[in-house]
Amino acid sequence: MLLSNHSMDIILNKLSKSHGSDRNKQYEVFWEEEIQTPAHLQYTVHLLDLTTDDKQKLCLESGYDYIPRPQFRTHPPEFSLPVGHHICHVQLFQNNRCLLIISDDNRNLNVFLDNIDALNIVIKADHKKAVFSHTKLGSDVRIAVDEARALLILVSSDGSNACRLHIYRLMEKFSMFAACRTPMKLYSWHDGPLRITNACFVSGQEEIFLVDNREGRMYSFVTQQWRPATLHLIQQPSAIFSTPDGACLVAVERDQKRFHARVYHWASFGSNAGLVVNLADIQPTSFGITSLAQ
């Protein structure tokens, strides 16, 4: 006999009379319980940390010349996601709060914001901070985060000559977030549809840099206008970042053999071809940029 309740099945193998009188009958039940769970992928977060000595030397006036030796923390946190769910953005903040944005089977964006060590429990309990519907937000979404100003932006475009900026402020030491204004509609700076492929903040400024078809421009939240200078990129970047000190834009590019970073100074934006920095001979699937102590 099979008794089913969605993801749990109870299989009765045997039912037999045991000891006892006719007035007090006892039976033995032999059964199995089968719990069906979807296939999951497990993720391990290997956190790099600095020794106390490294932190002290980096804080000195001559700290910019010191090369630290980060070490992996023991007992790395882990979490699992159902197969078919994809990580769109993950970012660790200074107080060990972690922002994790996941696309589910319906292409909705699920936002988790909690301590990195509690992330697995939070995901299993389905304690999301927010869910952004695919039908309302659109399918072509870019994500940008400015930790210094505690801002999260979702850039959505639908193939028209405009895109929308959905702006949220991270509050209470990165434990919650809320919309800080209504979505902003930005119209293309050129003829033709606007298809945003990359987005990043200008660190510490109320500006965002957007890339469309190997052309990039900055948009100011203060003036609510595009800045006039256009950056013509050599190729479509795999990723773009603003350096944590707000001095440079870093575009990750790939040639036939390896990845490299092309660095542009914001101060001379659009006036040169950038400085090329070769990266390690590896084949990463994603990129990030950070600073140590400074």
Side-chain angles (χ1 to χ4, degrees):
M1 181 182 294
L2 174 65
L3 303 177
S4 180
N5 180 18
H6 300 293
S7 62
M8 182 178 72
D9 296 333
I10 297 178
I11 303 173
L12 291 178
N13 294 324
K14 183 179 180 182
L15 176 64
S16 62
K17 184 178 179 181
S18 182
H19 303 290
S21 61
D22 292 338
R23 298 180 61 182
N24 188 20
K25 296 180 180 180
Q26 297 182 8
Y27 295 89
E28 290 182 340
V29 179
F30 297 88
W31 57 281
E32 298 176 4
E33 179 182 272
E34 292 184 354
I35 299 177
Q36 300 177 6
T37 58
H40 280 62
L41 290 176
Q42 181 167 299
Y43 297 84
T44 302
V45 185
H46 297 281
L47 299 170
L48 284 171
D49 205 354
L50 296 176
T51 64
T52 303
D53 183 59
D54 278 344
K55 292 178 181 179
Q56 291 176 350
K57 290 180 178 178
L58 285 169
C59 291
L60 298 174
E61 187 175 349
S62 58
Y64 286 101
D65 295 328
Y66 177 71
I67 300 177
R69 295 183 178 180
Q71 299 178 356
F72 285 111
R73 296 185 192 177
T74 57
H75 309 296
E78 298 176 339
F79 63 89
S80 61
L81 298 175
V83 173
H85 290 210
H86 304 283
I87 297 176
C88 300
H89 186 88
V90 59
Q91 186 162 346
L92 184 66
F93 300 122
Q94 288 184 350
N95 56 355
N96 274 347
R97 308 292 294 190
C98 183
L99 172 67
L100 179 65
I101 302 179
I102 300 168
S103 175
D104 61 22
D105 294 330
N106 298 316
R107 293 189 293 174
N108 299 325
L109 294 183
N110 302 268
V111 182
F112 297 90
L113 184 61
D114 215 293
N115 189 286
I116 182 67
D117 295 310
L119 205 55
N120 193 41
I121 298 174
V122 171
I123 293 173
K124 286 183 176 179
D126 202 27
H127 288 167
K128 308 181 186 76
K129 293 295 183 181
V131 179
F132 297 110
S133 171
H134 160 71
T135 56
K136 293 182 178 180
L137 193 61
S139 58
D140 195 11
V141 179
R142 308 300 169 188
I143 301 169
V145 178
D146 185 352
E147 182 177 358
R149 302 190 66 84
L151 290 175
L152 162 68
I153 281 189
L154 306 178
V155 185
S156 62
S157 55
D158 56 8
S160 67
N161 65 339
C163 68
R164 290 185 180 273
L165 299 185
H166 306 262
I167 307 174
Y168 300 88
R169 186 167 298 279
L170 301 163
M171 302 177 296
E172 302 295 331
K173 296 181 179 180
F174 302 102
S175 63
M176 59 184 296
F177 74 99
C180 61
R181 64 177 71 183
T182 57
M184 302 172 62
K185 194 169 186 178
L186 308 186
Y187 289 93
S188 177
W189 64 83
H190 58 75
D191 295 332
L194 187 63
R195 293 184 176 91
I196 301 302
T197 56
N198 305 87
C200 75
F201 278 96
V202 182
S203 299
Q205 304 295 323
E206 296 217 19
E207 295 177 334
I208 190 169
F209 178 72
L210 302 175
V211 176
D212 173 23
N213 193 26
R214 294 195 301 174
E215 286 189 357
R217 273 203 182 185
M218 287 188 288
Y219 182 84
S220 171
F221 298 131
V222 177
T223 63
Q224 296 189 10
Q225 291 181 343
W226 296 106
R227 289 193 173 274
T230 299
L231 178 62
H232 298 277
L233 298 165
I234 304 299
Q235 60 177 263
Q236 181 64 46
S238 300
I240 60 171
F241 305 98
S242 180
T243 55
D245 62 359
C248 300
L249 168 72
V250 179
V252 180
E253 302 172 347
R254 183 177 185 176
D255 56 25
Q256 295 181 352
K257 296 182 179 180
R258 59 190 300 177
F259 287 97
H260 59 267
R262 192 177 298 272
V263 184
Y264 305 87
H265 283 281
W266 290 119
S268 56
F269 181 77
S271 63
N272 56 63
L275 174 68
V276 174
V277 178
N278 291 322
L279 302 179
D281 190 13
I282 56 176
Q283 299 299 319
T285 56
S286 61
F287 300 88
I289 189 169
T290 189
S291 64
L292 298 174
Q294 299 284 354

